[in-house]
Amino acid sequence: MQLPAWYRRVFGWYPSRFRRDAEPELIEMAEAEWLAASRRGRWARVRVATRLAADHGVTLVRAWLAELAGPRVARAGWADRYREDFRYAWRGLSRTPGFLAVAVAIIGLGVGATTTIISVGNGLFLRVPAGIARADELVTVHEQSRDGSSFHSFSYLDYRDLAREAGDGIQLAAYNMFAASVVYGAEPEATLGLGVTGNYFSVLGAVPHLGRLLAPADDQGAGSARVAVLSYGTWQRRFAADSSLVGRRLTVNGEPYTIVGIAEPGFGGHVAAFDSEVWVPVALSLGPSRRAVLDQRRSSWLEIIGRATGAGLPAVTTRLSAISTETGRAAGLDWDRTVDVRRYSPVPAQIFLPILGFLGLLLLLGSLILLISSTNIAGVMVARAVARGRETAVRLAIGANRWVVIRHLLAENLLLFLFGGVAGTAFAWVATRLISRIELPFPVPLRFEFPVDGRVLAVAFGVSLLTGIGFGLMPALQATRASLAGSLRDHGSDPGAGRFRLRAVLVTAQVAASALLIVVASLFVRALDRAQRLDLGFEPANVRVVGIEFSVLDYQAAEVRAFAAAFEERARTLPGVRQVGATDVPPLTLANQTSVVSVEGRPRTEGVGYFGVDFARVTPGYFGALSIPIVRGRGFSEEDRSGAPAVMVINEALAGRLWPGEDPVGRVIHWGQIEGGPPVTIVGVVPTGKYRSLGEDPRDAVFLPAAQDQPRRLSFVLKTDRLVPGFSRTVAEAVRALDPNLAIATNDAYPDLIGLSLLPSRIAAWLAGGFALVGLVLSTMGLYGVLSYLVVRRRRELGIRLALGAEAGLVRRLVLREGVRLTVVGLGLGVGGAMLLARALRSFLFGLDSVDPLVVMGASGLLLAAAALACDLPARRAAAMDPVEVLRDD
Amino acid sequence: MTTDRLSLGAREFEILVTLVAGPRHGYGIMQELRESDSGGRVLGPGTLYRVLRDLAGRGLITSVDVREDDPGGPPRRYYRLTALGQRAVAAEARRLSGLLERARPLLQ
């Protein structure tokens, strides 16, 4: 197979001396490599191609460095020479401290923006959480469902089978995140704990700071030892690092545990940003009454993480899938159950892509501002080089090597970008600290750490260096290419045409990037605005959400119902409260649960005979408290209790799919299973709302009376007619009066909870908006610079025109036209780019997926106005020239 | 100066060893390195070229362009050890075999 054409083509970029000497030899070697690889198959080819490309890159840089260093010199001379270059560059820059400061700030902003985002990505995706050994051996295992969709959890029995049969070199541990109510001091506090199998810590390679961690002996199913491990942070914060804590008691979810150890500092589990406070044996993470699921193969609630030593992913997948298929068959499944094994990532597989996508978007915005700032500086550097044209020309004329002059210019630029890199790193350092302070209105122990570590520093440095060289080389090449005589005479046949073109290109790039940012920012603003006015299907204003997790105290169904009734009654008497209801899954709070409904006598096909639905268990007051109108039939009443006929309310979307055009009220469907679920009568229909996210397409949803089912958590929704000061405390007291041991998981205004799902878009809008503003200022400055240069450059021509009787207005228009041309081209590119981007951003834009004319017109108007401002002064200056003086100067 | 010029890195030593049996061209060296299976990383063409240039600069090897049977083709560049290079390889080999002797108890 032929060596890929690019390998030869890259030689075109090498210094010619290097090419003459080395090209045939290198090609011969590469060809032989390629031939050998081709025989070994596709992957070998990919590997060799990657290696050849990397080799090319390194060799190219070295070849140029050697070339720029001039003819062979002793090694000692090199360093001296470069030091001299930088000293010279520093002298040049420090002569204009104002320019230096502004340029460093501009570059710092670009480098800082990208570095910040890369730090966040690094902190989430690449940094292995503390206390985990040899993370490259770790894998996560998920069950694949019948339709091939992934990321399902396992039952305890399935986990036990897999762990036992996995064989040599594969150790599997399981864990279950659970809502915990821990009594550290006087009152119970809501948090999330981790129930883990006895080998969890040893699989991760974690070690204790004090005492011991959980061991396999602790993990005995329902008869597990009541032992708990605390995190180092919890020990420090809650127990003032009391070294006698090990052996003492701790109440978790109403049950007494013995603290057996403290995990090592920094260890908070294996999930990025999640910082578990307490670990208990996995079976105990279920309330006592739920421990029956330990023996049920159908209850999937465990996640598996494992360590594979010596076996590759495919081998592990094959082995575990075989076990899964076998145990599935034995349990009566009629299909081959398989598992999905992935390399461990600190970000869970389920949310890996969405988070990566969001960071990708932010990185794109950051890169745009970097592009704008780099091109802006490059434009200024061209101007500086031109201003020093005489000096350069003299140096070239007295025989200085062109490369030597380029080196000096490049050194200046590199110095500038390195300072900018330092400023950018400082920017990133501050920004990441601000970001890690974000607090969520949920009792989830999160710890964001985005350290500016070696990797991030390397990126910041690399970005500065590359942009410094890239954007420095252009002006340097351009400045030294000019005709010697032309520069020396300071006029003549337009020596600056190339420079003007280069600066024009740079300015167009800035305008394009700014236009893109402006359009994207306006898209986000419009989307957010739309989201505010979006019909949610319910009214969150003046509603407080009070979430309580009953499973933590192992409440039985009857107790939950009793508590709910008592609390609702008490809440109705609180000041300002108009209506009260409850649900186990409040809409738009990042939680959801799904099930199926089926219609008898129809084929077993999704969308025909059965339908996947979101569902919630609600109390009778729920619809009223959230101002959800009942469009047909009725809502729930106190009569819909346990023992009464089973009823449900469905939304219009589902009604339309079940019986298009017909009234569903009074009809019977089957609940919970594709076939043979219990029959339930539909008693009412509510409008379709937004359930999971604001941008979602209409979803099918079902509501069940909480009294006919067994909710394990409830969120009470309290509709008030006004803002009541201290309301959250009043509510908390009402809960405590009924049961002082219940921990409140949520106690927030509903709009704040919804705001959380707007957060990514808000962040993007703020960033895009801020960057767009900076981009606008910079590109206006750039435009002004390039037009001023144009006027200087064409001084003679314009002077002659004026002398020959051209009107001042004509000359002004001439300059303006040039400015408008650059702006319009940039605008077109930017808006085009934004249109392409808009589709990819759909999920952040709440359904808005195209750039509407209003946004384009607004952005264009803004940019054109800025451009007019930038053009005005140079144009006036051109028109006000005194032709006599211009021609006399000649 | 001389000590600096003659001290050999593991990679340089391996490359020089491929030339002990006689002159080779760059591609031949590369093949030999790959097949010797000494566990090192495979060198890219550019990197190998640079090391060879460096070795030549230190006087350990020398290169000669040879026109082969194919009259139209470019000349091939052959590398061979200089006398200095041979001495350097021998010295390094002696040093390594001395080390090997001392480590031998571990190999039993």
Side-chain angles (χ1 to χ4, degrees), chain A residues 7 18 20-22 24-30 32-33 36 40 51-52 55 58-59 62 72 75, chain B residues 25-27 30 34 41-50 52-54 57 74-77 79:
Chain A
Y7 190 83
F18 182 92
R20 271 199 308 280
D21 192 56
E25 194 174 353
L26 295 197
I27 287 185
E28 188 189 6
M29 290 195 234
E33 273 278 270
R40 276 173 292 146
R51 201 162 58 222
L52 286 178
D55 182 65
V58 173
T59 311
R62 280 182 190 279
R72 295 185 152 267
R75 257 164 207 268
Chain B
H25 47 75
Y27 155 53
M30 198 161 173
R34 196 172 42 231
R41 250 169 28 87
V42 188
L43 295 183
T47 315
L48 179 59
Y49 172 80
R50 191 174 55 77
L52 287 172
R53 282 290 297 261
D54 187 48
R76 258 189 168 175
R77 183 174 297 160
Y79 296 89

Short mmCIF file of all heavy atoms in Angstrom, two decimals, chain A residues 7 18 20-22 24-30 32-33 36 40 51-52 55 58-59 62 72 75, chain B residues 25-27 30 34 41-50 52-54 57 74-77 79:
data_model
loop_
_atom_site.label_atom_id
_atom_site.label_comp_id
_atom_site.label_asym_id
_atom_site.label_seq_id
_atom_site.Cartn_x
_atom_site.Cartn_y
_atom_site.Cartn_z
N TYR A 7 2.37 12.51 3.94
CA TYR A 7 3.70 12.40 4.49
C TYR A 7 4.71 13.13 3.59
O TYR A 7 5.59 13.83 4.06
CB TYR A 7 4.10 10.93 4.64
CG TYR A 7 5.39 10.78 5.42
CD1 TYR A 7 5.38 10.79 6.82
CD2 TYR A 7 6.62 10.68 4.78
CE1 TYR A 7 6.55 10.71 7.54
CE2 TYR A 7 7.80 10.59 5.50
CZ TYR A 7 7.76 10.61 6.88
OH TYR A 7 8.92 10.53 7.60
N PHE A 18 17.20 21.49 4.77
CA PHE A 18 16.89 20.20 5.39
C PHE A 18 16.32 19.25 4.35
O PHE A 18 16.67 18.07 4.29
CB PHE A 18 15.89 20.41 6.53
CG PHE A 18 15.55 19.15 7.26
CD1 PHE A 18 16.27 18.78 8.39
CD2 PHE A 18 14.52 18.33 6.83
CE1 PHE A 18 15.97 17.61 9.06
CE2 PHE A 18 14.22 17.16 7.49
CZ PHE A 18 14.95 16.80 8.62
N ARG A 20 16.77 19.12 1.10
CA ARG A 20 17.79 18.60 0.19
C ARG A 20 18.55 17.46 0.84
O ARG A 20 18.80 16.44 0.25
CB ARG A 20 18.77 19.72 -0.19
CG ARG A 20 18.36 20.52 -1.39
CD ARG A 20 19.54 21.28 -1.97
NE ARG A 20 20.27 22.07 -0.96
CZ ARG A 20 19.87 23.27 -0.53
NH1 ARG A 20 18.76 23.80 -1.02
NH2 ARG A 20 20.57 23.93 0.36
N ASP A 21 18.87 17.67 2.10
CA ASP A 21 19.73 16.72 2.77
C ASP A 21 19.00 15.44 3.16
O ASP A 21 19.54 14.35 3.07
CB ASP A 21 20.33 17.39 4.02
CG ASP A 21 21.45 16.55 4.58
OD1 ASP A 21 22.39 16.27 3.82
OD2 ASP A 21 21.38 16.18 5.76
N ALA A 22 17.77 15.56 3.62
CA ALA A 22 17.16 14.43 4.31
C ALA A 22 15.94 13.80 3.65
O ALA A 22 15.61 12.65 3.92
CB ALA A 22 16.77 14.88 5.72
N PRO A 24 14.84 12.33 0.75
CA PRO A 24 14.75 10.98 0.18
C PRO A 24 14.95 9.89 1.23
O PRO A 24 14.24 8.89 1.24
CB PRO A 24 15.91 10.96 -0.84
CG PRO A 24 16.37 12.35 -0.98
CD PRO A 24 15.95 13.12 0.22
N GLU A 25 15.87 10.15 2.13
CA GLU A 25 16.18 9.15 3.14
C GLU A 25 14.98 8.92 4.07
O GLU A 25 14.60 7.79 4.36
CB GLU A 25 17.39 9.63 3.94
CG GLU A 25 18.00 8.54 4.78
CD GLU A 25 19.28 9.02 5.45
OE1 GLU A 25 19.72 10.15 5.13
OE2 GLU A 25 19.81 8.29 6.28
N LEU A 26 14.39 10.01 4.49
CA LEU A 26 13.25 9.89 5.41
C LEU A 26 12.08 9.19 4.72
O LEU A 26 11.41 8.35 5.31
CB LEU A 26 12.79 11.27 5.91
CG LEU A 26 13.78 12.03 6.77
CD1 LEU A 26 13.07 13.15 7.53
CD2 LEU A 26 14.46 11.12 7.76
N ILE A 27 11.84 9.53 3.45
CA ILE A 27 10.73 8.91 2.73
C ILE A 27 10.97 7.42 2.59
O ILE A 27 10.07 6.60 2.77
CB ILE A 27 10.52 9.59 1.37
CG1 ILE A 27 9.90 10.97 1.60
CG2 ILE A 27 9.63 8.75 0.47
CD1 ILE A 27 9.52 11.70 0.36
N GLU A 28 12.22 7.06 2.32
CA GLU A 28 12.53 5.64 2.18
C GLU A 28 12.21 4.89 3.47
O GLU A 28 11.57 3.84 3.48
CB GLU A 28 14.01 5.46 1.81
CG GLU A 28 14.33 4.02 1.46
CD GLU A 28 15.83 3.79 1.30
OE1 GLU A 28 16.60 4.72 1.58
OE2 GLU A 28 16.19 2.68 0.91
N MET A 29 12.64 5.48 4.59
CA MET A 29 12.38 4.84 5.87
C MET A 29 10.88 4.75 6.14
O MET A 29 10.36 3.71 6.57
CB MET A 29 13.03 5.64 7.00
CG MET A 29 14.54 5.57 7.00
SD MET A 29 15.17 6.15 8.59
CE MET A 29 16.31 7.40 8.11
N ALA A 30 10.18 5.85 5.88
CA ALA A 30 8.74 5.87 6.16
C ALA A 30 8.02 4.85 5.30
O ALA A 30 7.11 4.15 5.76
CB ALA A 30 8.19 7.26 5.91
N ALA A 32 9.16 2.06 4.11
CA ALA A 32 9.41 0.71 4.61
C ALA A 32 8.53 0.44 5.85
O ALA A 32 7.92 -0.62 5.98
CB ALA A 32 10.88 0.55 4.96
N GLU A 33 8.47 1.43 6.74
CA GLU A 33 7.63 1.31 7.94
C GLU A 33 6.20 1.02 7.54
O GLU A 33 5.52 0.15 8.08
CB GLU A 33 7.63 2.65 8.70
CG GLU A 33 8.75 2.81 9.67
CD GLU A 33 8.44 2.10 10.97
OE1 GLU A 33 7.86 2.74 11.85
OE2 GLU A 33 8.77 0.90 11.07
N ALA A 36 5.57 -2.43 6.12
CA ALA A 36 5.53 -3.45 7.18
C ALA A 36 4.20 -3.38 7.92
O ALA A 36 3.60 -4.41 8.23
CB ALA A 36 6.70 -3.24 8.14
N ARG A 40 0.33 -5.86 8.57
CA ARG A 40 -0.19 -6.26 9.88
C ARG A 40 -1.62 -5.79 10.10
O ARG A 40 -2.18 -6.03 11.16
CB ARG A 40 0.72 -5.74 10.99
CG ARG A 40 1.90 -6.67 11.25
CD ARG A 40 2.87 -6.04 12.24
NE ARG A 40 3.54 -4.89 11.67
CZ ARG A 40 3.89 -3.82 12.37
NH1 ARG A 40 3.58 -3.74 13.64
NH2 ARG A 40 4.51 -2.81 11.78
N ARG A 51 2.42 7.61 14.48
CA ARG A 51 3.82 7.78 14.85
C ARG A 51 4.54 8.64 13.82
O ARG A 51 5.32 9.53 14.17
CB ARG A 51 4.47 6.41 14.95
CG ARG A 51 5.71 6.46 15.81
CD ARG A 51 6.11 5.08 16.27
NE ARG A 51 6.35 4.19 15.17
CZ ARG A 51 5.94 2.92 15.14
NH1 ARG A 51 5.25 2.45 16.14
NH2 ARG A 51 6.20 2.17 14.10
N LEU A 52 4.24 8.38 12.55
CA LEU A 52 4.90 9.16 11.50
C LEU A 52 4.51 10.63 11.61
O LEU A 52 5.35 11.52 11.46
CB LEU A 52 4.52 8.63 10.12
CG LEU A 52 5.17 7.29 9.72
CD1 LEU A 52 4.66 6.86 8.36
CD2 LEU A 52 6.67 7.38 9.72
N ASP A 55 6.31 12.15 14.52
CA ASP A 55 7.72 12.27 14.17
C ASP A 55 7.95 13.46 13.24
O ASP A 55 8.88 14.25 13.41
CB ASP A 55 8.15 10.96 13.50
CG ASP A 55 9.62 10.97 13.14
OD1 ASP A 55 10.44 11.02 14.07
OD2 ASP A 55 9.93 10.95 11.93
N VAL A 58 7.71 16.78 15.32
CA VAL A 58 8.91 17.07 16.12
C VAL A 58 10.06 17.46 15.21
O VAL A 58 10.78 18.45 15.44
CB VAL A 58 9.28 15.83 16.96
CG1 VAL A 58 10.60 16.04 17.66
CG2 VAL A 58 8.18 15.54 17.96
N THR A 59 10.23 16.70 14.13
CA THR A 59 11.36 16.95 13.24
C THR A 59 11.22 18.32 12.57
O THR A 59 12.21 19.05 12.42
CB THR A 59 11.43 15.86 12.16
OG1 THR A 59 11.35 14.59 12.80
CG2 THR A 59 12.71 15.95 11.38
N ARG A 62 12.21 21.01 15.04
CA ARG A 62 13.66 20.99 15.23
C ARG A 62 14.39 21.54 14.01
O ARG A 62 15.38 22.28 14.14
CB ARG A 62 14.14 19.55 15.47
CG ARG A 62 13.93 19.09 16.89
CD ARG A 62 14.48 17.67 17.00
NE ARG A 62 14.11 17.06 18.25
CZ ARG A 62 14.76 17.29 19.39
NH1 ARG A 62 15.78 18.12 19.41
NH2 ARG A 62 14.37 16.70 20.49
N ARG A 72 25.85 26.24 11.48
CA ARG A 72 26.28 25.50 12.67
C ARG A 72 27.17 26.34 13.58
O ARG A 72 28.12 26.95 13.13
CB ARG A 72 27.06 24.26 12.24
CG ARG A 72 26.17 23.33 11.50
CD ARG A 72 26.89 22.05 11.18
NE ARG A 72 25.89 21.00 11.10
CZ ARG A 72 25.59 20.25 12.13
NH1 ARG A 72 26.20 20.41 13.26
NH2 ARG A 72 24.67 19.34 12.00
N ARG A 75 27.43 24.73 20.59
CA ARG A 75 26.21 24.71 21.38
C ARG A 75 26.12 25.87 22.36
O ARG A 75 25.05 26.41 22.61
CB ARG A 75 26.11 23.40 22.16
CG ARG A 75 25.15 22.45 21.52
CD ARG A 75 25.33 21.06 22.04
NE ARG A 75 24.90 20.12 21.01
CZ ARG A 75 23.67 19.64 20.92
NH1 ARG A 75 22.77 20.01 21.77
NH2 ARG A 75 23.34 18.80 19.97
N HIS B 25 22.24 1.42 5.35
CA HIS B 25 21.55 2.69 5.10
C HIS B 25 20.49 2.88 6.19
O HIS B 25 20.22 1.97 6.98
CB HIS B 25 20.94 2.75 3.71
CG HIS B 25 20.18 1.53 3.33
ND1 HIS B 25 18.95 1.26 3.83
CD2 HIS B 25 20.50 0.51 2.50
CE1 HIS B 25 18.52 0.12 3.33
NE2 HIS B 25 19.46 -0.36 2.52
N GLY B 26 19.91 4.09 6.23
CA GLY B 26 19.03 4.45 7.34
C GLY B 26 17.90 3.46 7.53
O GLY B 26 17.60 3.04 8.66
N TYR B 27 17.28 3.07 6.43
CA TYR B 27 16.15 2.15 6.53
C TYR B 27 16.61 0.82 7.10
O TYR B 27 15.91 0.19 7.90
CB TYR B 27 15.51 2.03 5.15
CG TYR B 27 14.77 0.76 4.93
CD1 TYR B 27 13.78 0.34 5.83
CD2 TYR B 27 15.04 -0.05 3.82
CE1 TYR B 27 13.11 -0.84 5.63
CE2 TYR B 27 14.37 -1.22 3.62
CZ TYR B 27 13.41 -1.62 4.52
OH TYR B 27 12.75 -2.79 4.34
N MET B 30 16.92 1.04 10.76
CA MET B 30 15.59 1.06 11.37
C MET B 30 15.03 -0.36 11.50
O MET B 30 14.49 -0.75 12.53
CB MET B 30 14.69 1.88 10.48
CG MET B 30 13.45 2.34 11.13
SD MET B 30 12.89 3.68 10.10
CE MET B 30 11.38 3.99 10.80
N ARG B 34 14.14 -2.58 14.83
CA ARG B 34 12.83 -3.14 15.10
C ARG B 34 12.93 -4.63 15.38
O ARG B 34 12.29 -5.16 16.26
CB ARG B 34 11.89 -2.89 13.92
CG ARG B 34 10.45 -3.11 14.33
CD ARG B 34 9.45 -2.70 13.28
NE ARG B 34 9.84 -3.10 11.96
CZ ARG B 34 9.86 -2.27 10.91
NH1 ARG B 34 9.53 -1.03 11.06
NH2 ARG B 34 10.20 -2.70 9.72
N ARG B 41 11.46 1.86 22.26
CA ARG B 41 10.42 2.35 21.39
C ARG B 41 10.94 2.43 19.96
O ARG B 41 12.11 2.69 19.75
CB ARG B 41 9.98 3.75 21.86
CG ARG B 41 8.59 3.76 22.46
CD ARG B 41 8.27 5.06 23.16
NE ARG B 41 8.97 6.22 22.63
CZ ARG B 41 8.54 6.96 21.62
NH1 ARG B 41 7.42 6.67 21.03
NH2 ARG B 41 9.23 8.00 21.22
N VAL B 42 10.06 2.21 19.01
CA VAL B 42 10.47 2.32 17.62
C VAL B 42 10.72 3.80 17.31
O VAL B 42 9.92 4.65 17.71
CB VAL B 42 9.37 1.77 16.70
CG1 VAL B 42 9.89 1.72 15.27
CG2 VAL B 42 8.92 0.42 17.17
N LEU B 43 11.81 4.09 16.63
CA LEU B 43 12.11 5.48 16.31
C LEU B 43 11.43 5.88 15.01
O LEU B 43 11.37 5.10 14.07
CB LEU B 43 13.61 5.66 16.13
CG LEU B 43 14.46 5.45 17.38
CD1 LEU B 43 15.91 5.73 17.07
CD2 LEU B 43 13.98 6.36 18.49
N GLY B 44 10.94 7.10 14.96
CA GLY B 44 10.40 7.62 13.70
C GLY B 44 11.56 8.00 12.79
O GLY B 44 12.67 8.21 13.27
N PRO B 45 11.30 8.11 11.49
CA PRO B 45 12.37 8.44 10.55
C PRO B 45 13.10 9.73 10.92
O PRO B 45 14.34 9.76 10.91
CB PRO B 45 11.62 8.61 9.22
CG PRO B 45 10.35 7.89 9.38
CD PRO B 45 10.01 7.90 10.83
N GLY B 46 12.34 10.75 11.26
CA GLY B 46 12.96 12.04 11.54
C GLY B 46 13.87 11.97 12.75
O GLY B 46 14.96 12.55 12.78
N THR B 47 13.39 11.24 13.76
CA THR B 47 14.17 11.14 15.00
C THR B 47 15.46 10.37 14.74
O THR B 47 16.54 10.76 15.18
CB THR B 47 13.34 10.43 16.07
OG1 THR B 47 12.03 10.98 16.05
CG2 THR B 47 13.95 10.61 17.43
N LEU B 48 15.33 9.27 14.00
CA LEU B 48 16.51 8.46 13.69
C LEU B 48 17.52 9.30 12.90
O LEU B 48 18.72 9.29 13.18
CB LEU B 48 16.09 7.23 12.88
CG LEU B 48 17.24 6.31 12.46
CD1 LEU B 48 17.99 5.82 13.68
CD2 LEU B 48 16.73 5.13 11.65
N TYR B 49 16.99 10.04 11.96
CA TYR B 49 17.85 10.88 11.13
C TYR B 49 18.64 11.85 11.99
O TYR B 49 19.83 12.05 11.81
CB TYR B 49 16.98 11.64 10.13
CG TYR B 49 17.72 12.70 9.34
CD1 TYR B 49 18.49 12.35 8.24
CD2 TYR B 49 17.64 14.03 9.72
CE1 TYR B 49 19.17 13.32 7.53
CE2 TYR B 49 18.32 15.00 9.01
CZ TYR B 49 19.08 14.65 7.91
OH TYR B 49 19.75 15.61 7.22
N ARG B 50 17.93 12.43 12.97
CA ARG B 50 18.58 13.43 13.81
C ARG B 50 19.69 12.79 14.65
O ARG B 50 20.77 13.32 14.79
CB ARG B 50 17.54 14.07 14.73
CG ARG B 50 18.04 15.28 15.46
CD ARG B 50 16.91 15.94 16.23
NE ARG B 50 16.25 15.01 17.12
CZ ARG B 50 16.78 14.63 18.29
NH1 ARG B 50 17.94 15.08 18.69
NH2 ARG B 50 16.12 13.78 19.04
N LEU B 52 21.36 10.12 13.90
CA LEU B 52 22.47 9.77 13.01
C LEU B 52 23.32 11.00 12.71
O LEU B 52 24.55 10.95 12.73
CB LEU B 52 21.92 9.17 11.71
CG LEU B 52 21.35 7.75 11.86
CD1 LEU B 52 20.66 7.31 10.58
CD2 LEU B 52 22.46 6.76 12.23
N ARG B 53 22.64 12.13 12.45
CA ARG B 53 23.37 13.37 12.18
C ARG B 53 24.25 13.73 13.37
O ARG B 53 25.39 14.15 13.23
CB ARG B 53 22.40 14.52 11.92
CG ARG B 53 21.80 14.51 10.54
CD ARG B 53 22.83 14.86 9.51
NE ARG B 53 23.36 16.21 9.69
CZ ARG B 53 22.95 17.26 9.00
NH1 ARG B 53 22.07 17.12 8.06
NH2 ARG B 53 23.46 18.44 9.23
N ASP B 54 23.66 13.55 14.54
CA ASP B 54 24.35 13.90 15.77
C ASP B 54 25.59 13.02 15.96
O ASP B 54 26.68 13.49 16.27
CB ASP B 54 23.38 13.75 16.94
CG ASP B 54 23.99 14.25 18.23
OD1 ASP B 54 24.54 15.37 18.19
OD2 ASP B 54 23.93 13.52 19.24
N GLY B 57 28.16 14.04 13.67
CA GLY B 57 28.77 15.28 14.13
C GLY B 57 29.81 15.02 15.21
O GLY B 57 30.79 15.76 15.34
N PRO B 74 17.72 8.01 -6.62
CA PRO B 74 18.62 8.86 -5.85
C PRO B 74 19.71 7.99 -5.21
O PRO B 74 19.50 6.80 -5.00
CB PRO B 74 17.70 9.45 -4.78
CG PRO B 74 16.60 8.46 -4.62
CD PRO B 74 16.45 7.77 -5.94
N PRO B 75 20.83 8.60 -4.91
CA PRO B 75 21.86 7.81 -4.23
C PRO B 75 21.39 7.45 -2.84
O PRO B 75 20.64 8.18 -2.23
CB PRO B 75 23.06 8.76 -4.19
CG PRO B 75 22.46 10.12 -4.27
CD PRO B 75 21.22 10.00 -5.08
N ARG B 76 21.84 6.31 -2.36
CA ARG B 76 21.50 5.91 -1.01
C ARG B 76 22.64 6.27 -0.09
O ARG B 76 23.80 6.13 -0.45
CB ARG B 76 21.32 4.39 -0.98
CG ARG B 76 19.88 4.01 -0.97
CD ARG B 76 19.78 2.55 -0.72
NE ARG B 76 18.39 2.23 -0.43
CZ ARG B 76 17.97 1.00 -0.25
NH1 ARG B 76 18.81 0.00 -0.33
NH2 ARG B 76 16.71 0.77 0.01
N ARG B 77 22.26 6.72 1.10
CA ARG B 77 23.31 7.12 2.03
C ARG B 77 23.60 5.97 2.97
O ARG B 77 22.71 5.47 3.65
CB ARG B 77 22.86 8.36 2.80
CG ARG B 77 23.92 8.89 3.73
CD ARG B 77 23.48 10.17 4.35
NE ARG B 77 23.29 11.22 3.35
CZ ARG B 77 22.54 12.30 3.57
NH1 ARG B 77 21.93 12.46 4.71
NH2 ARG B 77 22.43 13.21 2.64
N TYR B 79 25.75 4.45 6.23
CA TYR B 79 26.48 4.89 7.41
C TYR B 79 27.42 3.78 7.84
O TYR B 79 27.09 2.60 7.74
CB TYR B 79 25.49 5.16 8.56
CG TYR B 79 24.54 6.29 8.27
CD1 TYR B 79 23.32 6.06 7.64
CD2 TYR B 79 24.87 7.60 8.61
CE1 TYR B 79 22.45 7.09 7.35
CE2 TYR B 79 24.01 8.64 8.33
CZ TYR B 79 22.80 8.39 7.71
OH TYR B 79 21.95 9.41 7.44
#
